[in-house]
Amino acid sequence: MGEGKRVGNGLAGWSGWCLGLCLVVSFSNVVSLQLVGAPSDAASLALAGVPSLARIGAYGALAVLAKRVGSVLGRRRLLLLAGVAMSVGAAGAATMPPWAATLCAVVLNVGFAVLYLGWMELYAQFDTAYVLVFFTLAHFFSALLTFLVCLIEPFPVVVLATILMPAASLLALCRADRRTKEVAFRQGERQRAGWTISVRPLVLLAAFGFSNAVIRGFLGAQDRVTVLFGVCVAAACVLVAALARKGMIEIKALYQIAVPVLVAGALLVLMGYGWSGVAAALCSNAAFTLFSVFVTVVFCGISYRYGVNAVWMFGITQASLFLGSFAGKAVSAWARRFSPIPRCLWRR
């Protein structure tokens, strides 16, 4: 009885650290929702896209240099520098004038790419069932944490909470890496088989990122917080299914469900009613969460089985995802300013 209790406490101890990814995702959400102002003119609209391009470039550069870098997770100084860049960049983005805030946003986006790849490298060393549960829980808690931070009234407290997230996430990453070093599900299989990434998943990632960005473009800042409920619902459904079947769910089913949910969101946008924009974004966020879990589990499984460099693989996939999202935001911003669609259809 005592032995079982000790095992259970140990499991709870290291598994909690493995969920520190939620702090990185929450950081990105809060920065985009609370700390970076909406562009008000053509010049600020052009500047608003620069940080996104910096994140895409950072992912692409890390993918290209993956063989030389080898491991982001093993380079603690690089991770520490990334965490500092995120915190300093977030503080600057909230307090500096527009041109300086844009530079700070570039710095934090580069740091975000490094720390996120560190987490993906850790997850890529886990067995599929653990990746499914941990990554889904990370999305669920990131949405809840974003809700909580955005409910805080004093703006300085929001800034302080945001700049502390990278440090807490980095601490969780280091603890999770150390405490799971010897566990059975992290040993990998390393089968001898050639494997190369295909274009199809990259196109699908870009398409989902584009669609989600366009649909969310119909929302005001407050609604963008509300529709995170779609992430919670999708993550909760995946968790219930995974726990009910002890992690042995059909991963492909997540993609098969995500596509019609995303289509439903696009159709709701076209309805043009006052509530349809929020409903569409709820569907879009849910679909994007399902697809993100699907892609992450699949690619982590490939790295786990065949020893494919996770920095290279997730650098490419995340660059594709954010490239699609960048294009979607650009189309949405262009439509806001120049489209003949009546302004009443755009949420403020």
Side-chain angles (χ1 to χ4, degrees):
M1 185 74 174
E3 183 65 25
K5 186 176 181 180
R6 284 197 299 273
V7 172
N9 290 337
L11 180 66
W14 59 253
S15 63
W17 294 113
C18 292
L19 301 180
L21 173 64
C22 74
L23 295 167
V24 180
V25 181
S26 296
F27 173 88
S28 181
N29 291 338
V30 174
V31 166
S32 63
L33 292 170
Q34 297 288 316
L35 305 189
V36 178
S40 56
D41 52 34
S44 59
L45 185 63
L47 283 175
V50 175
S52 296
L53 290 174
R55 185 181 296 191
I56 296 168
Y59 279 129
L62 286 167
V64 171
L65 298 173
K67 287 186 178 180
R68 181 177 299 178
V69 172
S71 169
V72 170
L73 185 59
R75 295 176 177 266
R76 298 303 167 87
R77 291 183 180 179
L78 178 61
L79 290 172
L80 178 60
L81 184 61
V84 171
M86 291 169 68
S87 296
V88 173
T95 56
M96 297 288 187
W99 66 269
T102 299
L103 180 60
C104 290
V106 167
V107 170
L108 75 86
N109 271 276
V110 172
F112 176 92
V114 174
L115 187 53
Y116 188 85
L117 285 182
W119 274 106
M120 288 297 97
E121 187 178 348
L122 176 68
Y123 277 25
Q125 298 175 29
F126 292 169
D127 184 68
T128 299
Y130 288 88
V131 176
L132 175 65
V133 173
F134 288 152
F135 192 74
T136 305
L137 278 173
H139 272 281
F140 182 83
F141 286 124
S142 70
L144 290 182
L145 184 58
T146 303
F147 277 129
L148 292 176
V149 173
C150 290
L151 286 175
I152 299 173
E153 289 296 334
F155 186 69
V157 179
V158 176
V159 176
L160 179 61
T162 306
I163 63 177
L164 290 177
M165 287 181 187
S169 181
L170 179 57
L171 173 63
L173 177 60
C174 294
R175 290 291 183 89
D177 180 40
R178 180 170 61 84
R179 294 195 176 191
T180 61
K181 222 48 159 178
E182 303 300 327
V183 295
F185 67 81
R186 195 182 165 181
Q187 302 313 307
E189 296 178 4
R190 300 296 187 269
Q191 299 177 12
R192 292 182 177 274
W195 185 88
T196 56
I197 193 168
S198 66
V199 176
R200 183 182 178 187
L202 302 182
V203 173
L204 287 174
L205 275 166
F208 265 83
F210 177 86
S211 302
N212 192 43
V214 170
I215 292 173
R216 285 165 57 91
F218 285 82
L219 299 171
Q222 188 60 40
D223 288 333
R224 290 193 183 103
V225 178
T226 303
V227 297
L228 289 173
F229 184 66
V231 176
C232 293
V233 171
C237 290
V238 174
L239 286 171
V240 169
L243 294 176
R245 304 194 61 180
K246 299 181 180 180
M248 302 302 293
I249 67 172
E250 181 62 44
I251 300 300
K252 190 177 180 180
L254 299 179
Y255 167 70
Q256 293 171 337
I257 297 172
V259 173
V261 173
L262 183 65
V263 172
L267 293 176
L268 283 167
V269 165
L270 297 177
M271 292 175 65
Y273 296 115
W275 54 267
S276 62
V278 173
L282 284 168
C283 291
S284 179
N285 275 345
F288 187 79
T289 301
L290 294 172
F291 185 73
S292 181
V293 172
F294 163 72
V295 168
T296 301
V297 170
V298 168
F299 281 111
C300 282
I302 291 169
S303 181
Y304 182 82
R305 291 185 179 90
Y306 305 117
V308 179
N309 189 305
V311 176
W312 171 76
M313 186 160 50
F314 283 100
I316 293 175
T317 55
Q318 290 300 307
S320 300
L321 172 63
F322 281 97
L323 184 61
S325 180
F326 172 78
K329 289 177 182 178
V331 169
S332 178
W334 176 85
R336 276 183 179 272
R337 294 181 61 84
F338 304 111
S339 175
I341 297 175
R343 291 282 176 178
C344 63
L345 296 184
W346 297 96
R347 301 279 298 186
R348 291 185 178 274

